[in-house]
Amino acid sequence: MKEVTYFQNLDSLRFIAFFFVFLSHLGPQFHFDQTDSFSFLNVVFQHGRTAVSFFFVLSGFLISYLLIKERFATKSLNIKAFFVKRIFRILPLYFIVCIIGFMVIPIIFGETTNESVLQHLFLGANFNQIQLASSGIENSMILAPLWSIAIEEQFYLVWPFLLLSLKPKRYIYLFVFILLVSYSFIYLNRHSYIVLMLHTVSVLPEFMLGAIVAYWTYSYAKPIQIIQELPKWFLIVAYIVSISLILYLPPPYSYIANPLIFTFIMLEQVFAKNSLFKVSAIKGLDYLGKISYGSYMYHSIVIFVVMYFFTQWDLFSWNSLLFKLLFIILSFVLTIGLSYLSFNTIEKYCLNLRNRILNK
């Protein structure tokens, strides 16, 4: 298949996934009472981890596609360039949030954290979360997004070396082997919700399904042609079933089903010719997806600060839907504004610095 450097609609999907994470971190006070006629909407506040699953599938796809393309083109991989790109794109905001969570928030607001500084600095935030949850210790709201970033970085530390160690025609065996190991781990830990949710091995199927799609996308035309020609009626049925499963299928089954569903959605949005709707058609959504890394990293900080002042001003005592909506809108707008500023200052500076290093 013809090489692709940019996959349409994925940025918009990334923003939608972030929005579900944002909703999930608002807290139970924003859920509707079970006697309320709107209580059925509570399900949308419960799928932050589900949305993170999409991030993992997407990362597995995009990173693997770039590495596979380079491997086929050059017979090798530029490991230095790979790590420079990842470091300057991901770690600046990661460590900024660490500084805010471990230093700024405790000093200004008196909110201390039980998390380990060392484990976060050495990209072990997910294992720290497992330890805390297993001991019944509450984790920090500010540092909540970092566990998934730590997992992605752990994956990036190993993945290029694995792909470099094998010939491309053997990649599929690597993908299947990792899937078997991970699904075995999931089965053995099927009664430990926190391990299924946060352990690196538990989420490897999400990365691997993305990697398999990347391999097929680059190497073969037939699977993509099948997606392109799927009839509209099939896509309608597939989306109804997929959304129902995402919203209502419980763990541990959801940890197996959701990555498969997100793989389908990703393929459909990128390649299908008979789509009912392409998400990037929503004006502005594509740009919001481009700055969504900052939105993901900062939203918990913004929610915490807004909640602090709402609590200080006793606004929640009104127990009014109006104040709840005001809280959500204010937190969302401030998050987008902060991510816009971050993208056009900190992130662009780091990306320019990265390019200068790579061009030397």
Side-chain angles (χ1 to χ4, degrees):
M1 182 174 176
K2 182 180 177 182
E3 292 184 17
V4 182
T5 55
Y6 177 75
F7 293 94
Q8 191 71 27
N9 300 301
L10 293 188
D11 281 331
S12 297
L13 287 174
R14 184 185 283 114
F15 172 75
I16 293 171
F18 151 72
F19 187 66
F20 276 95
V21 174
F22 171 82
L23 291 176
S24 74
H25 284 159
L26 288 171
Q29 63 265 43
F30 293 93
H31 295 183
F32 293 97
D33 190 271
Q34 292 301 316
T35 59
D36 197 296
S37 57
F38 293 102
S39 62
F40 68 95
L41 292 175
N42 285 340
V43 70
V44 303
F45 295 97
Q46 301 166 6
H47 285 278
R49 174 60 181 86
T50 304
V52 173
S53 178
F54 172 76
F55 288 141
F56 290 152
V57 173
L58 182 60
S59 293
F61 171 70
L62 293 175
I63 291 300
S64 297
Y65 184 88
L66 292 173
L67 290 171
I68 290 168
K69 182 173 77 168
E70 182 182 354
R71 188 79 164 90
F72 271 101
T74 67
K75 310 298 182 185
S76 185
L77 290 175
N78 189 335
I79 299 295
K80 175 187 173 182
F82 175 83
F83 284 117
V84 168
K85 289 177 182 178
R86 303 284 78 73
I87 288 170
F88 280 90
R89 181 67 189 103
I90 297 173
L91 292 187
L93 296 197
Y94 179 91
F95 288 122
I96 285 173
V97 173
C98 281
I99 291 170
I100 293 172
F102 286 113
M103 297 177 64
V104 177
I105 295 297
I107 292 172
I108 296 178
F109 297 97
E111 182 81 10
T112 58
T113 177
N114 296 306
E115 271 83 353
S116 164
V117 175
L118 283 178
Q119 283 185 290
H120 279 72
L121 291 180
F122 288 97
L123 304 174
N126 60 313
F127 296 112
N128 189 207
Q129 295 296 317
I130 292 172
Q131 291 169 353
L132 291 175
S134 300
S135 302
I137 301 173
E138 188 174 355
N139 68 326
S140 167
M141 177 181 178
I142 305 299
L143 302 170
L146 299 188
W147 71 268
S148 63
I149 306 302
I151 287 178
E152 289 204 15
E153 288 297 275
Q154 293 161 24
F155 175 70
Y156 296 156
L157 283 171
V158 176
W159 195 231
F161 294 107
L162 289 177
L163 294 184
L164 186 60
S165 68
L166 295 172
K167 293 181 179 180
K169 65 181 181 180
R170 298 186 181 276
Y171 283 170
I172 195 66
Y173 300 111
L174 173 65
F175 303 154
V176 172
F177 173 75
I178 294 174
L179 281 173
L180 289 174
V181 170
S182 184
Y183 281 133
S184 298
F185 183 85
I186 290 171
Y187 177 78
L188 293 173
N189 292 276
R190 62 191 181 279
H191 300 303
S192 177
Y193 170 77
I194 197 67
V195 171
L196 293 179
M197 185 173 72
L198 298 176
H199 200 286
T200 307
V201 180
S202 298
V203 307
L204 284 178
E206 293 149 56
F207 289 103
M208 286 305 100
L209 288 171
I212 290 170
V213 171
Y215 184 76
W216 281 347
T217 300
Y218 189 85
S219 304
Y220 303 104
K222 188 63 177 177
I224 303 307
Q225 290 172 357
I226 293 173
I227 298 294
Q228 288 175 332
E229 302 303 327
L230 286 175
K232 188 166 290 188
W233 68 264
F234 178 88
L235 295 176
I236 293 173
V237 172
Y239 266 103
I240 292 173
V241 172
S242 296
I243 292 172
S244 299
L245 289 174
I246 288 172
L247 293 178
Y248 299 109
L249 188 67
Y253 310 106
S254 59
Y255 292 121
I256 297 174
N258 286 343
L260 293 168
I261 293 168
F262 292 137
T263 301
F264 160 74
I265 292 173
M266 187 173 65
L267 285 168
E268 186 276 330
Q269 281 292 301
V270 172
F271 298 111
K273 294 180 179 179
N274 299 314
S275 296
L276 292 173
F277 185 74
K278 297 292 190 183
V279 289
S280 61
I282 302 176
K283 190 174 181 181
L285 206 61
D286 197 52
Y287 181 78
L288 289 174
K290 292 183 187 300
I291 66 172
S292 63
Y293 178 53
S295 301
Y296 179 75
M297 295 299 282
Y298 296 132
H299 76 278
S300 290
I301 299 170
V302 173
I303 290 172
F304 171 84
V305 173
V306 175
M307 187 174 292
Y308 175 86
F309 285 108
F310 265 56
T311 303
Q312 291 294 308
W313 298 334
D314 203 27
L315 295 180
F316 286 123
S317 64
W318 292 78
N319 197 28
S320 166
L321 179 62
L322 176 64
F323 280 102
K324 290 182 178 180
L325 288 175
L326 176 62
F327 180 94
I328 294 172
I329 293 171
L330 182 60
S331 298
F332 179 74
V333 170
L334 289 175
T335 296
I336 298 302
L338 184 58
S339 61
Y340 173 83
L341 292 174
S342 174
F343 182 78
N344 287 285
T345 54
I346 298 169
E347 294 169 65
K348 281 191 174 179
Y349 173 81
C350 292
L351 293 177
N352 290 333
L353 180 59
R354 176 197 71 182
N355 293 336
R356 289 200 296 269
I357 292 172
L358 292 176
N359 291 331
K360 281 185 178 180

